Amino acid sequence: MVEMERKYPGQTDELVSKRESDGCAVARRAAAEGMVLLENNGILPLAPGTKIALYGLGARHTIKGGSGSGDVNSRHVVSVEEGLENAGFEIVNKEYLKLLDNAYKKAWDEWMKKIYAAAGPEEDPEKLYDAHVRYTLNTPSLPIPPSSFIRADVVVYVISRTSGEGADRKDGEGDYLLTADETDQIRTLWKNGKPVIVLLNVGGVIDLSFMDDMMPAAAILMGQAGCESGNAVADILSGKVNPSGRLTDTWAYRYMDYPSSEQFSYRNGNVLEEDYTDGIYVGYRYFDTFGVKPRYPFGYGLSYTTFETAPGQVFCHDGTIRAEITVRNTGAAAGAMPVLVYAACPARKQKKEFKRLAGFAKTRVLNPGESETVEVAFGLEMLASYQPGTASYILEDGRYTLLAGEPQTKPFFALDLPKTVTLCTLPNVCELLSALDEIEPDDEQIQKRDEWLAAHSEHIGSLSLTDEDVACAGRHMSPAQAGTNDGVLEQAKQILGNLTEDEKIRLTVGAPGIFTGEMIGDSGMSVPGAAGETVRLSDKGVPGMVLCDGPAGLRIQLRYEIDPENGQVYRLKRFETLENRFFGVLRKHENAVSMWQFATAVPAGTLLAQSFDVDLMKEVGETIAREMVAFGVALWLAPGMNIHRNPLCGRNYEYYSEDPLLSGKMAAAITQGVQRTVGLGTTIKHYACNNQEENRCGVSANISERALREIYLKGFEIAVRESQPMSIMTSYNRINYVHTANSIDLCTRVAREEWGFSGLIMTDWTTTNGGHGASAAKCIRAGNDLVMPGRDSDRNEIRDALHGDGPFLLSKESLDRSALRIVYASLLSARALQ
């Protein structure tokens, strides 16, 4: 037996550490703050000791988050049933839940047999995972006998849905639509005369047509709330926490109300191309502009109390608008309220949406009768629109009306601009190769909007914007100034000067994994279960970096074993590492040392964003950073911040919103929280237009430059300018037929030259191999520094391009730039983790 000198991540016991308990406390608070109260006839909050009849598979099998890289292998997930009992409520139908459990186990076993049969006798991990995505678990349903709820004061019904990487959701029963059994069960419960409370344990929008004739007494969007799911929703139901979440998406009456519904992903039979004919009219921008009434609008959410808002001073300084709004709690319960400020921009010369979110803030928890004045600040550049013909951001002359308030927004102030101003001129990027027939409002709709604004703006204040105001806004659009550690940068340059060409090439391609010479999602060596690592050149002074999946926490292996004879970690079969040992049986080796890596599963991205609380997001980021230090992780492959263009995208739960401003602000805040520990970094992803999962590696997002810049890049721009994340991850897809990973426009011209991004850019996993079509050498040429997970073929391709043996040339300067960024990041992270 050898003495194990290596430092292994994790702990040898299963005790709950202070780090873990603190993480769960933050996750619980974040989950409760992001939950949205959709309906309430006064039944909530529930009285202590209320007797509850609990139904739905999510009652015990509560879904904490989606599958794939967004999953986290946490110690435990508090179910809805557990949470309610922890809060002192009595569950009166536990025998029924036990029968449902047994039926679920039988269905699960049958599902797994089907998956393994599809994978063949070799149990190929890729086939296993594909079958897991392709085949649907036929969730059981049991008739509800009246005897199961006769003792109950109220009924709680949980509707659960999940989704994940590699497949988009379906607009049929069991996914976007309720199943016939779910509808029948709700009807049975609704007819019994007892109050019915519906909990939506879902990661995205679903059809709620059952409410048209069976309105529940209360409905809560509890979302996918992480490891503390049940405790958090119990905090809401009991009134321990007054709900203050607001929707970050528009919930339509029917799926076909969304502008991209017909052609989205697989629905039109074409997954090779996705034409973004909805242009800038995504989410509420479409519903407001075209007069389509939603079931629940963006920004909607109820409370157990009432609020009154009153606008105060509005002024402009250095190109930034600052609007003061006083919020007073006029009800009987303490509570907090988000304040959302929108802008309706002039649309005579260039057609625009009815309104756009310009800024937001959130009050502290206000006691009854208490007031707080919040300031909502935003740069004038957030009111600009892009003109592809002149490649310019323009502030059109006219009146910019500011709106706020609940439940309906109303004008409260106006900004007048006497002449059209060009804020900045940029190079055209991501050329659209064929014309798109984009939707836009007609002149009558624009006139109707202007008439409504004028009729509701008779008594509001206004100010005239000056030349200096707009000049400052133009300066806001200059490249951001990134802070650099000059000492570390000089050290990195010295190291780079001592590296051979081969060593530089090795640095720009990920380190070999423990299975087949590559990293596949969760095949880390230094930290078991991590997504990948960079190459370590110890003799040259270059430490490696461990990269770990997110965005719902750190996705690492919950338990691993060490061979005491040689100190090596026992290797798992590749399929056994997937989805927290979703496949395979946990094997235990004789005399092995067991190590446990307990990570916190924070709420899914959409639920976090529903809090509209940037300070809370920073705190979540700080929680992630503590876990990164504990396990030795340098880069967190999160946050995910693609736009919710369509509710059927399989990974919407990971992302924040249909709105780019909110997405950018949330990503910036969580990045600031993580990077308060200098040397640790986030990886904002997936850059860009990763808005569908079907054929995600081959589909071309065909999009106008205006829509690209105003909607799909804007969130990334905000995150870069406000937080300078350490890294960016490109997406799998193409934009106008060019792989994002190979795009000089995206990686260099936009991110670095326009926004001032100073970190490293990496590919998503297997972008350059596995038949996905992107080129490793073109990545380096584009300014995409790190090819992950990396294969020998990637290294060979880069080497050939350097020496003119490939289809195109790669300059040594391009290689040096990428290698330097990786060395610099490696040195910084090593300081944080030493």
Side-chain angles (χ1 to χ4, degrees):
M1 183 177 295
V2 298
E3 184 176 349
M4 294 182 291
E5 297 180 354
R6 171 185 163 186
K7 182 181 178 181
Y8 297 90
Q11 59 195 64
T12 56
D13 57 57
E14 298 181 58
L15 299 177
V16 177
S17 66
K18 184 177 185 302
R19 171 196 57 76
E20 187 183 358
S21 61
D22 288 349
C24 288
V26 172
R28 178 173 180 170
R29 189 152 39 85
E33 193 170 333
M35 292 181 183
V36 180
L37 180 63
L38 299 174
E39 301 288 345
N40 186 21
N41 69 359
I43 188 69
L44 297 180
L46 297 176
T50 297
K51 294 180 173 60
I52 297 173
L54 183 60
Y55 300 95
L57 199 59
R60 285 189 173 177
H61 299 276
T62 306
I63 296 171
K64 74 177 189 303
S67 62
S69 66
D71 193 19
V72 174
N73 303 328
S74 58
R75 178 195 295 263
H76 178 64
V77 179
V78 180
S79 70
V80 171
E81 180 187 29
E82 287 178 88
L84 293 177
E85 290 184 323
N86 291 342
F89 298 114
E90 180 184 350
I91 308 301
V92 300
N93 62 326
K94 295 180 79 69
E95 186 60 34
Y96 174 88
L97 293 175
K98 182 179 178 181
L99 293 173
L100 185 62
D101 249 358
N102 293 337
Y104 179 73
K105 184 179 184 305
K106 181 179 179 181
W108 178 279
D109 290 341
E110 292 174 353
W111 182 46
M112 293 302 290
K113 288 178 183 177
K114 193 174 182 180
I115 290 173
Y116 274 92
E122 300 299 320
E123 295 180 346
D124 178 83
E126 300 300 332
K127 290 182 179 179
L128 272 171
Y129 193 78
D130 288 345
H132 156 241
V133 171
R134 186 168 67 254
Y135 295 129
T136 301
L137 170 63
N138 294 318
T139 52
S141 177
L142 296 180
I144 297 177
S147 60
S148 66
F149 54 74
I150 195 168
R151 291 182 51 238
D153 299 318
V154 298
V155 170
V156 173
Y157 191 87
V158 185
I159 300 172
S160 295
R161 295 292 187 270
T162 190
S163 62
E165 274 194 271
D168 288 316
R169 295 174 56 199
K170 303 299 182 282
D171 60 333
E173 290 191 6
D175 195 339
Y176 190 80
L177 303 178
L178 268 61
T179 65
D181 284 343
E182 286 173 325
T183 302
D184 288 345
Q185 288 183 341
I186 292 173
R187 181 173 289 106
T188 296
L189 297 169
W190 186 74
K191 286 182 175 179
N192 84 77
K194 296 181 185 292
V196 176
I197 300 167
V198 173
L199 301 182
L200 300 177
N201 176 209
V202 298
V205 178
I206 65 170
D207 183 86
L208 298 177
S209 295
F210 73 90
M211 288 185 174
D212 295 340
D213 56 12
M214 294 183 291
M215 179 60 71
I220 296 173
L221 174 58
M222 66 171 287
Q224 295 174 343
C227 59
E228 290 289 314
S229 294
N231 285 333
V233 78
D235 288 341
I236 296 292
L237 289 168
S238 67
K240 181 179 179 180
V241 175
N242 190 342
S244 62
R246 298 293 187 268
L247 294 179
T248 63
D249 291 321
T250 303
W251 284 56
Y253 275 101
R254 57 196 61 82
Y255 172 70
M256 294 305 293
D257 288 345
Y258 294 98
S260 60
S261 57
E262 290 189 8
Q263 76 272 18
F264 177 73
S265 185
Y266 59 86
R267 296 197 79 255
N268 64 353
N270 179 9
V271 295
L272 299 176
E273 299 172 306
E274 182 75 5
D275 290 343
Y276 283 49
T277 55
D278 41 349
I280 65 168
Y281 301 99
V282 178
Y284 70 88
R285 284 170 164 81
Y286 170 77
F287 284 81
D288 290 348
T289 304
F290 292 89
V292 180
K293 184 180 179 181
R295 184 179 296 277
Y296 298 116
F298 175 92
Y300 173 86
L302 302 177
S303 172
Y304 296 152
T305 190
T306 55
F307 297 98
E308 180 180 88
T309 61
Q313 280 193 314
V314 179
F315 56 94
C316 184
H317 180 69
D318 289 340
T320 298
I321 300 297
R322 300 185 184 277
E324 294 179 349
I325 296 179
T326 299
V327 179
R328 187 168 76 91
N329 185 341
T330 57
M337 176 183 169
V339 176
L340 281 60
V341 173
Y342 299 87
C345 305
R348 297 187 314 277
K349 297 179 180 178
Q350 184 183 31
K351 291 183 177 179
K352 302 179 182 72
E353 66 285 280
F354 188 108
K355 68 179 188 289
R356 69 180 68 168
L357 184 66
F360 61 91
K362 192 169 187 176
T363 70
R364 66 178 186 275
V365 175
L366 302 176
N367 291 317
E370 190 176 8
S371 299
E372 181 184 2
T373 299
V374 298
E375 181 183 84
V376 179
F378 55 90
L380 283 173
E381 68 276 6
M382 296 308 301
L383 309 184
S385 295
Y386 185 76
Q387 289 185 349
T390 61
S392 301
Y393 273 102
I394 302 293
L395 280 174
E396 181 179 330
D397 65 290
R399 169 156 284 200
Y400 293 78
T401 305
L402 304 185
L403 306 94
E406 292 184 352
Q408 183 181 22
T409 57
K410 295 180 180 180
F412 70 91
F413 201 81
L415 310 169
D416 293 319
L417 184 66
K419 61 181 180 181
T420 296
V421 178
T422 298
L423 290 186
C424 67
T425 300
L426 304 165
N428 289 116
V429 295
C430 301
E431 180 185 5
L432 181 63
L433 300 181
S434 57
L436 277 181
D437 186 17
E438 291 182 307
I439 61 172
E440 64 176 16
D442 58 32
D443 292 341
E444 183 179 346
Q445 288 168 317
I446 295 293
Q447 182 178 350
K448 186 177 179 181
R449 180 199 81 147
D450 290 345
E451 290 173 352
W452 184 92
L453 289 171
H456 290 81
S457 302
E458 292 180 353
H459 305 294
I460 66 174
S462 64
L463 66 80
S464 292
L465 298 171
T466 67
D467 290 344
E468 179 58 25
D469 291 332
V470 294
C472 289
R475 290 193 288 273
H476 293 170
M477 303 196 76
S478 300
Q481 297 300 310
T484 302
N485 187 314
D486 292 337
V488 175
L489 181 59
E490 185 58 35
Q491 182 185 0
K493 289 179 179 178
Q494 291 176 2
I495 290 174
L496 183 72
N498 293 324
L499 296 181
T500 66
E501 178 185 282
D502 186 65
E503 288 169 331
K504 294 173 186 177
I505 293 171
R506 288 172 59 199
L507 281 177
T508 60
V509 178
I514 64 174
F515 296 111
T516 60
E518 59 176 319
M519 292 285 184
I520 299 293
D522 53 3
S523 307
M525 296 179 291
S526 301
V527 179
E533 300 179 22
T534 62
V535 167
R536 179 184 294 108
L537 300 175
S538 301
D539 58 331
K540 295 296 181 71
V542 182
M545 291 187 290
V546 174
L547 286 57
C548 188
D549 264 327
L554 299 185
R555 188 193 190 208
I556 52 181
Q557 203 168 300
L558 183 64
R559 177 184 176 275
Y560 66 96
E561 292 185 334
I562 302 166
D563 186 344
E565 295 296 326
N566 56 26
Q568 298 297 309
V569 174
Y570 277 107
R571 297 185 179 187
L572 299 175
K573 294 181 179 179
R574 273 179 53 190
F575 72 85
E576 291 179 322
T577 70
L578 299 171
E579 307 302 317
N580 197 12
R581 296 188 183 277
F582 185 88
F583 305 106
V585 178
L586 178 63
R587 293 176 294 159
K588 294 186 178 180
H589 299 84
E590 188 175 357
N591 298 322
V593 177
S594 293
M595 299 295 294
W596 296 89
Q597 300 182 120
F598 297 115
T600 304
V602 301
T606 303
L607 182 58
L608 288 175
Q610 288 171 184
S611 71
F612 281 85
D613 190 334
V614 292
D615 290 331
L616 178 65
M617 292 295 284
K618 291 174 184 177
E619 191 174 354
V620 172
E622 291 170 349
T623 298
I624 299 298
R626 284 191 289 272
E627 301 205 338
M628 292 170 71
V629 171
F631 296 114
V633 174
L635 283 176
W636 185 41
L637 304 181
M641 49 184 305
N642 293 102
I643 294 296
H644 293 177
R645 175 176 177 249
N646 186 285
L648 298 186
C649 175
R651 297 180 78 174
N652 274 353
Y653 68 94
E654 291 189 37
Y655 310 142
Y656 294 128
S657 175
E658 66 189 25
D659 182 78
L661 175 90
L662 179 60
S663 298
K665 291 288 187 180
M666 294 292 107
I670 204 167
T671 293
Q672 289 165 0
V674 169
Q675 295 186 178
R676 279 178 180 170
T677 303
V678 178
L680 301 185
T682 64
T683 307
I684 58 175
K685 66 180 186 182
H686 305 89
Y687 182 64
C689 294
N690 190 164
N691 303 113
Q692 73 179 61
E693 287 298 295
E694 303 284 338
N695 191 33
R696 59 180 177 169
C697 297
V699 66
S700 175
N702 300 329
I703 185 171
S704 69
E705 188 181 3
R706 182 187 181 191
L708 181 65
R709 285 187 178 274
E710 290 190 21
I711 304 296
Y712 298 96
L713 296 184
K714 184 58 69 176
F716 288 96
E717 178 183 359
I718 292 169
V720 167
R721 291 185 181 278
E722 296 190 3
S723 67
Q724 276 293 340
M726 190 178 286
S727 60
I728 294 174
M729 181 190 291
T730 53
S731 54
Y732 284 122
N733 56 280
R734 308 167 193 243
I735 293 180
N736 296 332
Y737 301 100
V738 176
H739 280 286
T740 63
N742 291 163
S743 174
I744 296 174
D745 281 348
L746 290 177
C747 296
T748 296
R749 295 190 181 107
V750 173
R752 301 190 191 281
E753 295 174 1
E754 291 183 20
W755 303 343
F757 177 66
S758 62
L760 67 89
I761 301 179
M762 71 178 74
T763 70
D764 204 342
W765 268 228
T766 72
T767 294
T768 59
N769 44 60
H772 298 158
S775 160
K778 286 184 179 179
C779 285
I780 306 304
R781 186 177 68 172
N784 196 341
D785 310 297
L786 180 59
V787 177
M788 292 300 295
R791 285 182 174 177
D792 287 340
S793 58
D794 296 320
R795 286 176 276 272
N796 292 336
E797 183 186 328
I798 294 171
R799 187 177 297 107
D800 289 346
L802 282 169
H803 294 281
D805 296 328
F808 61 90
L809 286 173
L810 174 65
S811 70
K812 296 185 186 305
E813 290 77 15
S814 294
L815 178 64
D816 283 351
R817 282 193 292 267
S818 291
L820 178 62
R821 293 179 189 125
I822 294 167
V823 173
Y824 176 73
S826 299
L827 293 174
L828 273 183
S829 65
R831 288 188 171 198
L833 298 172
Q834 63 186 5

